[in-house]
Amino acid sequence: TQCAGKKLTGLVAATFTPFTSQGEVNLSEIGPYIDYLKEKQGVNSIFVNGTTGEGMSLSVDERKLLAEDWCRKAKGKMEQVIVHVGCTSLKDSQELARHAVGIGADGIAVIAPSFFKPRSAESVRAYLQTVADVAPNVPFYYYHLPALTGVNVPASDLLEGIETLIPSFRGVKFSGSNLMDLGQCISRIQPHWSILYGVDEQLLAALALGAHGAVGSTYNYLGSHMNKLLSEFDSGNLVQARNLQFKMQELINHAVKVGFDVGVNKQLMNEVSGLQLGPPRLPILPCPQSHAIAIKQKYQHLFSVH
Amino acid sequence: TQCAGKKLTGLVAATFTPFTSQGEVNLSEIGPYIDYLKEKQGVNSIFVNGTTGEGMSLSVDERKLLAEDWCRKAKGKMEQVIVHVGCTSLKDSQELARHAVGIGADGIAVIAPSFFKPRSAESVRAYLQTVADVAPNVPFYYYHLPALTGVNVPASDLLEGIETLIPSFRGVKFSGSNLMDLGQCISRIQPHWSILYGVDEQLLAALALGAHGAVGSTYNYLGSHMNKLLSEFDSGNLVQARNLQFKMQELINHAVKVGFDVGVNKQLMNEVSGLQLGPPRLPILPCPQSHAIAIKQKYQHLFSVH
Amino acid sequence: TQCAGKKLTGLVAATFTPFTSQGEVNLSEIGPYIDYLKEKQGVNSIFVNGTTGEGMSLSVDERKLLAEDWCRKAKGKMEQVIVHVGCTSLKDSQELARHAVGIGADGIAVIAPSFFKPRSAESVRAYLQTVADVAPNVPFYYYHLPALTGVNVPASDLLEGIETLIPSFRGVKFSGSNLMDLGQCISRIQPHWSILYGVDEQLLAALALGAHGAVGSTYNYLGSHMNKLLSEFDSGNLVQARNLQFKMQELINHAVKVGFDVGVNKQLMNEVSGLQLGPPRLPILPCPQSHAIAIKQKYQHLFSVH
Amino acid sequence: TQCAGKKLTGLVAATFTPFTSQGEVNLSEIGPYIDYLKEKQGVNSIFVNGTTGEGMSLSVDERKLLAEDWCRKAKGKMEQVIVHVGCTSLKDSQELARHAVGIGADGIAVIAPSFFKPRSAESVRAYLQTVADVAPNVPFYYYHLPALTGVNVPASDLLEGIETLIPSFRGVKFSGSNLMDLGQCISRIQPHWSILYGVDEQLLAALALGAHGAVGSTYNYLGSHMNKLLSEFDSGNLVQARNLQFKMQELINHAVKVGFDVGVNKQLMNEVSGLQLGPPRLPILPCPQSHAIAIKQKYQHLFSVH
């Protein structure tokens, strides 16, 4: 087809959006960020303007600016740049999808609209189709995040007949904990589709069920360790893979107990990577540095980084 | 103060957004719509680009276009036009708030951001303040709709100290069913604030607790009957007020059982008013005409319209 | 009918279950408790072994023992004693219903079973009917508490045709915040039925919609003030009624913020009344005395008790 | 210790409770049921009076009668009989725990109390301890089922220090979908504890994370196929294990879509096994035979049973 693309696999970092300390988009940090992911974390694909990237808190113009810069600077360095174009307004999503074509994105993704929450697979599919229609030659991914969107239509229901409606359909970023639904997606897909798991702390479970890769925020700073998990799993070393997953869980479990949101996550990334990604944008409150440093110490303790 | 405004009371219709049959904004229907509300329903204030108006499904440009047209055409006919400027992006809300100043809106309203759901009164207040700051001379209302936003911070908590942060603060569109919270808002407000209730089917309960008015979608087609409810209540005729509320509940209860969302509501308005407001926008599916007509018949039966 | 009974109105205290400090049922406190309610609070009916009474945490034998003692000691003092016989086991509810006949209870009440949560009015009605059938001459009340049971079948749906299935049906203890559902119950009832509201902090709203009385835990220590609210409402003095409701809300709102559950509520009752009702039973943790005393001070401050 | 027991592993069938067509306990079917599980399904351990067994809908006397009969008839045939003794009443749970000692149960399990929902690990632990204390020599399991109980305390939090409070503690029946919590349980346990997974349709995911076995209702009729899944997993044949899991998911996914509850599940078991386990008890409605037969046909189609 015209929209072949390369099958998306492995770890995909859901990138944070760099802001200045005044809260404006800061493009100058994108280059170093891409280098960091590639060189220090071994991460070769990125998912931009998604939840981690606070896409919903950006204006359409900011999203375009960012998407363009990510695509341009990732060229030759990253395998794939997936641009998230979902929001609550269909028109805005269409505009962002059209823009993604022009900047050479390797794929676009759309989350279910979350203010008016569709209750049927039919209405979600109709919505996704209307976005996909304006960018028919770009691989299209559905971004399934029921806990945040409140849209509880099973992803496997959504997949029924979707290739007819959306010929550019290429897979799902599945960020849910219903693994029956995940399994039913995987067991029914076309060979060129990818099911990428998005709940980082239970990635190994999804791999056991056949997930082709993973998209998540923790791969920003745990990419090298989670790449090791992937390779242990591929080699059939379940015990080693499990130990890595358990360590990673211990970190997240700890973070959740002391307080963890996109703002904390972003500041943790700043502390671990040395990048200057700035604060989050309201309604997410900035994270006190000391709070992120304490989580970083847990990280270093668990993964023996000295 | 510079932002005195007139206290907002009585019924406020949350307007539908007129679309063409192709789903584009249809400004030509706004004039007749305003006349209908004033002349047939006795409704003298409107709340535009809110939930009923599918504000979240519109682009920023569409919202501006609509807000401007509503304000211009309502001049001299409506007492107040409140423009809802809330969305998930702070920047977009600010832009819409600035725009509302220019078009002479009588007030602006902001819903809590619903993708990243703030958990503390502090973060909601900080968000609202950042929007209000760019339009300091326009009366500001907080739009409280916890069932849809998932933001469960009590409105009465939010009000603590808000006049210091937002000098233009003038009240709450309270669309929740926690009437302890409603009561605690009412018992603590400044004299020039308004608490407007937004769950139409239990308006009488809110009046008993001292609500100053109501904002809702059903006042588009039940305004005259609900104005009667208000006047019966004001005259101390609780039994008559109750009977009107019960009839209205029976209508909505029936509609909910057979299927009721913004799309059905809009088509019901089309059938009752004769206006051509068009279909809803995705993700809301269009309502079959027969479905709306059946609900209209219940309406006519209950309210003896022949 | 054989099951006439007197229509249940006014305030009904949902009683706490007196325990010894070792957590065993303490019948000796029941007599003084009844006298306190009647003499100090002006409360003339009680609802025993309900949520406030930790009925679900008691064995069948304990519930029988308590119900019998409450009925015997209330004779000639209380107008009505309603015995709650609901639990998760149909057989146990039937046994308790049969027992209630023998002890001369003025009515029995049954909550929806909450472990296996029925999803249809049909299944809830079938369940209630099977209990009511064994005590056909005792007035029967449905206890609607969706927030705790997770059973979201509207009470007004449940009432459809219920008098045919349960000839002894006499009303609903409606402890929900959906006032459309409440109104639809009230607008459809038989003259000898009672709809008693159970969310104490928004009683005035329910009165406006026509509720016939109230069942709640706060009437144990706020009965006299809430009786005043009832009489102000009956006299058409809405403003005075509202002020009493607001004070009461301020107390509960404060309690909820500092921590409020049946254990705290019980200890507050101990502090206010001077009765020795003991601690709650696990899984409810005992309340530190200082915590209850702090809430009592708020109570005294609000209601000028010195 | 005095409470050594054998580590619980492999498949454990959560048994249905046999009723007569009149809804009374039917002990005569227990013998054939045990034989069926052992001979046809290769299942060697059972979990009785749990959710599948409608334990919450039984009286204490019925639960004792059943537990005794299961234990007696399973002797020499089943490896382990775990008796669920949880309910909403602490006293009843204690009585059932004492009784379980006398009948030689291999273990007891307790679900979190679900009417008053404890919010802290401390209160759940205190509750469990108070039950375990009366049966100190019987292996004790915590039954974690947050979706049904509404008790969302992570199981891994609960395990902290539990061996000190409950020396007889031996593990968790983990019926939740939070696999970070599952992983954190597994990574922290004592060698003689078992973590048994209870969401049958994602068993493979739990095995990947190190679960020691599984307790569920589907093992009643899918035991042989799921034993094959276990052995394929143990042999490192992930693809084969996955295919079995996908088939099983397809069955359950189908059943959920056409309607699936304990009543349907029980009738499906009747149809598949030929046993006469009777109808469920209210509030669960009986399942029309045709409905169960249709699901059975899907089962036969998927698993090629002719």
Side-chain angles (χ1 to χ4, degrees), chain A residues 155-224:
Chain A
S156 53
D157 286 2
L158 205 67
L159 295 195
E160 282 174 28
I162 203 163
E163 65 270 32
T164 311
L165 297 175
I166 306 178
S168 56
F169 190 80
R170 287 300 174 273
V172 180
K173 167 172 171 15
F174 191 106
S175 299
S177 59
N178 179 343
L179 300 188
M180 176 165 76
D181 188 25
L182 176 74
Q184 290 301 287
C185 287
I186 292 170
S187 71
R188 292 170 186 188
I189 60 166
Q190 309 291 327
H192 53 301
W193 293 3
S194 293
I195 306 296
L196 302 146
Y197 197 59
V199 184
D200 307 5
E201 55 272 31
Q202 50 185 62
L203 170 59
L204 179 58
L207 294 176
L209 287 167
H212 308 95
V215 184
S217 67
T218 65
Y219 309 129
N220 281 294
Y221 45 82
L222 283 171
S224 64

Side-chain angles (χ1 to χ4, degrees), chain C residues 127-165:
Chain C
Y127 186 90
L128 298 181
Q129 181 186 15
T130 310
V131 180
D133 275 355
V134 306
N137 297 323
V138 181
F140 183 94
Y141 298 89
Y142 166 57
Y143 179 9
H144 184 63
L145 181 60
L148 216 53
T149 61
V151 178
N152 292 308
V153 175
S156 53
D157 286 2
L158 204 68
L159 295 194
E160 280 173 31
I162 203 165
E163 64 270 32
T164 311
L165 297 175

Side-chain angles (χ1 to χ4, degrees), chain A residues 157 179 202 208 242 249 257, chain D residues 157 179 202 208 242 257:
Chain A
D157 286 2
L179 300 188
Q202 50 185 62
R242 201 179 284 158
Q249 289 181 339
K257 277 184 188 161
Chain D
D157 286 3
L179 301 187
Q202 50 186 62
R242 202 178 283 158
K257 277 184 189 163

Side-chain angles (χ1 to χ4, degrees), chain A residues 68-279:
Chain A
E68 188 163 357
D69 209 61
W70 282 110
C71 283
R72 192 166 52 79
K73 292 177 179 165
K75 190 142 296 175
K77 293 183 173 175
M78 287 284 147
E79 289 177 8
Q80 298 208 31
V81 179
I82 309 300
V83 177
H84 179 245
V85 302
C87 58
T88 67
S89 157
L90 185 62
K91 294 261 170 178
D92 286 350
S93 280
Q94 289 179 317
E95 186 172 339
L96 290 168
R98 271 188 223 100
H99 179 261
V101 175
I103 60 174
D106 300 293
I108 57 174
V110 175
I111 199 167
S114 62
F115 187 77
F116 295 115
K117 296 161 189 71
R119 303 229 183 111
S120 67
E122 179 200 0
S123 53
V124 181
R125 269 195 303 254
Y127 186 90
L128 299 181
Q129 180 187 16
T130 310
V131 180
D133 274 355
V134 306
N137 297 324
V138 181
F140 184 95
Y141 298 89
Y142 167 56
Y143 178 9
H144 184 62
L145 181 59
L148 215 54
T149 62
V151 178
N152 292 309
V153 175
S156 53
D157 286 2
L158 205 67
L159 295 195
E160 282 174 28
I162 203 163
E163 65 270 32
T164 311
L165 297 175
I166 306 178
S168 56
F169 190 80
R170 287 300 174 273
V172 180
K173 167 172 171 15
F174 191 106
S175 299
S177 59
N178 179 343
L179 300 188
M180 176 165 76
D181 188 25
L182 176 74
Q184 290 301 287
C185 287
I186 292 170
S187 71
R188 292 170 186 188
I189 60 166
Q190 309 291 327
H192 53 301
W193 293 3
S194 293
I195 306 296
L196 302 146
Y197 197 59
V199 184
D200 307 5
E201 55 272 31
Q202 50 185 62
L203 170 59
L204 179 58
L207 294 176
L209 287 167
H212 308 95
V215 184
S217 67
T218 65
Y219 309 129
N220 281 294
Y221 45 82
L222 283 171
S224 64
H225 299 287
M226 293 304 107
N227 269 322
K228 182 99 171 82
L229 187 158
L230 289 186
S231 61
E232 295 286 12
F233 177 80
D234 286 341
S235 309
N237 301 328
L238 259 186
V239 173
Q240 288 86 334
R242 201 179 284 158
N243 284 341
L244 283 160
Q245 184 73 85
F246 287 168
K247 275 191 189 182
M248 187 277 188
Q249 289 181 339
E250 194 171 339
L251 176 65
I252 300 301
N253 201 31
H254 170 78
V256 167
K257 277 184 188 161
V258 298
F260 197 55
D261 63 10
V262 170
V264 177
N265 208 359
K266 193 174 192 177
Q267 188 58 30
L268 177 60
M269 178 62 177
N270 284 332
E271 299 300 333
V272 171
S273 68
L275 293 164
Q276 301 286 332
L277 305 176

Side-chain angles (χ1 to χ4, degrees), chain B residues 157 179 202 208 242 257, chain C residues 157 179 202 208 242 249 257:
Chain B
D157 286 3
L179 300 186
Q202 51 185 64
R242 201 179 284 157
K257 277 183 189 164
Chain C
D157 286 2
L179 300 187
Q202 51 186 61
R242 203 178 282 159
Q249 289 181 341
K257 278 183 189 162

Side-chain angles (χ1 to χ4, degrees), chain B residues 156-157 160 177-180 183-184 186-188 201-202 204-205 207-210 233 238 242 245-246 249-250 252-253 257, chain C residues 156-157 160 177-180 183-184 186-188 201-202 204-205 207-210 233 238 242 245-246 249-250 252-253 257:
Chain B
S156 54
D157 286 3
E160 281 172 31
S177 60
N178 180 343
L179 300 186
M180 176 165 76
Q184 291 300 287
I186 293 171
S187 72
R188 291 170 186 189
E201 55 272 31
Q202 51 185 64
L204 179 57
L207 294 176
L209 287 167
F233 177 80
L238 257 186
R242 201 179 284 157
Q245 183 73 84
F246 287 168
Q249 289 181 341
E250 196 172 337
I252 301 302
N253 202 30
K257 277 183 189 164
Chain C
S156 53
D157 286 2
E160 280 173 31
S177 60
N178 180 342
L179 300 187
M180 176 166 76
Q184 290 300 288
I186 293 170
S187 72
R188 292 170 186 189
E201 55 272 31
Q202 51 186 61
L204 179 56
L207 294 175
L209 287 168
F233 177 80
L238 258 185
R242 203 178 282 159
Q245 184 73 86
F246 287 167
Q249 289 181 341
E250 195 172 338
I252 301 300
N253 203 28
K257 278 183 189 162

